Amino acid sequence: MEKIFIKQLTKEILEKNINRFIDILSDIPDEYWKSEHFLLELPSKWSFSLYATNNLEQIIGYIIASYKDFYNSIHINKFMIDKRFRGQNIGTLMLEHFENKCKTEKKNLITLKVKKSNYSAICFYLKHNFKIHSEHSDYLLMKKDLG
Ligand SMILES: CC(C)(COP(=O)(O)OP(=O)(O)OC[C@H]1O[C@@H](n2cnc3c(N)ncnc32)[C@H](O)[C@@H]1OP(=O)(O)O)[C@@H](O)C(=O)NCCC(=O)NCCS
């Protein structure tokens, strides 16, 4: 397997590679994020967001996350792996880095929303010990306690 590098996302990296970030989510139905959504300023976004590259320095995935006052938590706004690289453990590796960072920064909780129809992502999160917190019309709110 090729070597994967996980790095902290900066505004500069995101701006420089914005088309690549958009391209990675282009196969997801109903996905609406454009550059203005990626570039929106959110609390602690540049401390918690990550991206992954392969040994050719291609960007192959990212976690965009931000701080929420509620219960001292970090919310995953977007988590995407390039479709050619899914199912190769890269999401797991990214999530582990992300969780370690949240723990180091003494955060209590990770939250995210996932579409009810997105079975593979729900399986992925359940496998990583996220719990279903609440059910809404077309999505689930999931959470993981870090305490
Ligand atoms: C969900 C996602 C981030 C997981 O990352 P990943 O690198 O594919 O996941 P890993 O390889 O670490 O883990 C594989 C597990 O994820 C799940 N999975 C999700 N998509 C998969 C795919 N296309 N192929 C294989 N497994 C997939 C399976 O439960 C699998 O478990 P298994 O290995 O026991 O079968 C990634 O598949 C992705 O970007 N999906 C599309 C975007 C998305 O749905 N994001 C989440 C929205 S909240």
Side-chain angles (χ1 to χ4, degrees), residues 7 22 32 34 37 66 90 92 117 140:
K7 302 169 190 173
I22 294 170
Y32 64 90
K34 299 189 177 63
H37 302 101
S66 57
I90 298 166
T92 297
S117 56
L140 303 177

Side-chain angles (χ1 to χ4, degrees), residues 24-25 27-28 31 60 62 76-83 85-94 112-115 118-125 127-128:
I24 288 176
L25 49 70
D27 72 305
I28 307 292
E31 184 53 66
I60 57 172
Y62 47 83
I76 297 182
N77 302 91
K78 202 57 76 183
F79 187 1
M80 288 282 153
I81 304 293
D82 182 319
K83 67 171 183 295
F85 294 88
R86 285 176 205 152
Q88 297 174 36
N89 218 42
I90 298 166
T92 297
L93 202 63
M94 291 200 78
L112 59 89
K113 284 179 182 177
V114 59
K115 280 219 163 145
N118 193 350
Y119 299 114
S120 55
I122 294 169
C123 288
F124 173 84
Y125 292 126
K127 210 162 76 177
H128 292 286

